[in-house]
Amino acid sequence: MSTPAVSAGPLRRVPVQGRSVARVQRMLDACAELIDEVGYDGLSTTLLAERAGVAIGSVYQFFPDKRAIVQALTLRNVEAYLERLAERIPAGELAHWWDGVDGAIEEYIELHRSVPGFRTLHFGDVVDVHLIDPERDNNAVIADHLADLLIRFHNAPDSADLRFALTVSVEAADALIKLAFRRHPDGDAAVLAESKRLVRGYLQAFALT
């Protein structure tokens, strides 16, 4: 899968030329590596510039501070996740719409395993639970996108109850997946399986009420 384009959200200016785009991507890659190594509190623009191999002025040319860099990285991760869902859920052969949530959980687990910085940063919660959207929690944004896909492609009921149920499911799965990766670098298999079982049982019960 190709690297998602840089979102304009936290940028001082959007890179247009190829070299500028590549430079910003290097900064985001460096940010991801450093988040895993030193955490958000240990991250600094100086460290990031050194790791990315750019002048400190180049960092400030595009980002006002380290929070903006982390926000840009978060948005890149969100875009990557939503791309994965958009490819998987419409193409999936689902017996029931709630089976699509299994796919969403699997893709979330894969991000933890394969994307540098993700298991530390997640969707930006370490910085701000409203990092993606100032009006909604980060997980609520993800739940809404998941609801839209399930409604559009798999005949899930378009209702406030569904969106609430998916919000609860995303929060529950998120908490258990974080636990799984605290217990084991690749995610504790028993906890990951339980996260799926719990969410599936809840959504099946929701669909019957």
Side-chain angles (χ1 to χ4, degrees), residues 24-132:
V24 170
Q25 293 290 2
R26 285 205 312 275
M27 293 179 202
L28 297 184
D29 292 342
C31 179
E33 294 173 3
L34 288 167
I35 283 285
D36 272 344
E37 293 173 17
V38 302
Y40 179 73
D41 289 340
L43 179 68
S44 70
T45 53
T46 300
L47 274 178
L48 186 136
E50 291 174 354
R51 179 64 60 91
V54 301
I56 190 68
S58 291
V59 176
Y60 289 117
Q61 182 181 12
F62 293 101
F63 299 103
D65 52 34
K66 73 174 186 178
R67 185 182 186 280
I69 300 166
V70 170
Q71 186 179 16
L73 176 61
T74 297
L75 292 174
R76 189 174 76 170
N77 289 341
V78 169
E79 288 165 6
Y81 181 64
L82 296 180
E83 280 184 12
R84 288 171 182 248
L85 293 189
E87 291 171 1
R88 180 167 184 158
I89 288 179
E93 295 294 330
L94 305 181
H96 299 283
W97 62 261
W98 56 74
D99 293 334
V101 181
D102 272 1
I105 292 173
E106 288 168 5
E107 295 296 349
Y108 189 56
I109 292 168
E110 182 58 27
L111 288 182
H112 280 76
R113 288 175 173 160
S114 63
V115 176
F118 191 83
R119 70 177 61 194
T120 303
L121 187 60
H122 305 288
F123 286 131
D125 299 359
V126 68
V127 180
D128 186 347
V129 294
H130 297 101
L131 194 63
I132 302 171

Side-chain angles (χ1 to χ4, degrees), residues 124-162:
D125 299 359
V126 68
V127 180
D128 186 347
V129 294
H130 297 101
L131 194 63
I132 302 171
D133 183 331
E135 302 300 323
R136 295 180 293 167
D137 289 353
N138 300 331
N139 280 347
V141 175
I142 300 301
D144 272 347
H145 279 284
L146 180 57
D148 291 340
L149 287 170
L150 294 175
I151 290 164
R152 180 179 178 187
F153 292 104
H154 294 290
N155 300 314
D158 188 357
S159 67
D161 286 345
L162 170 72

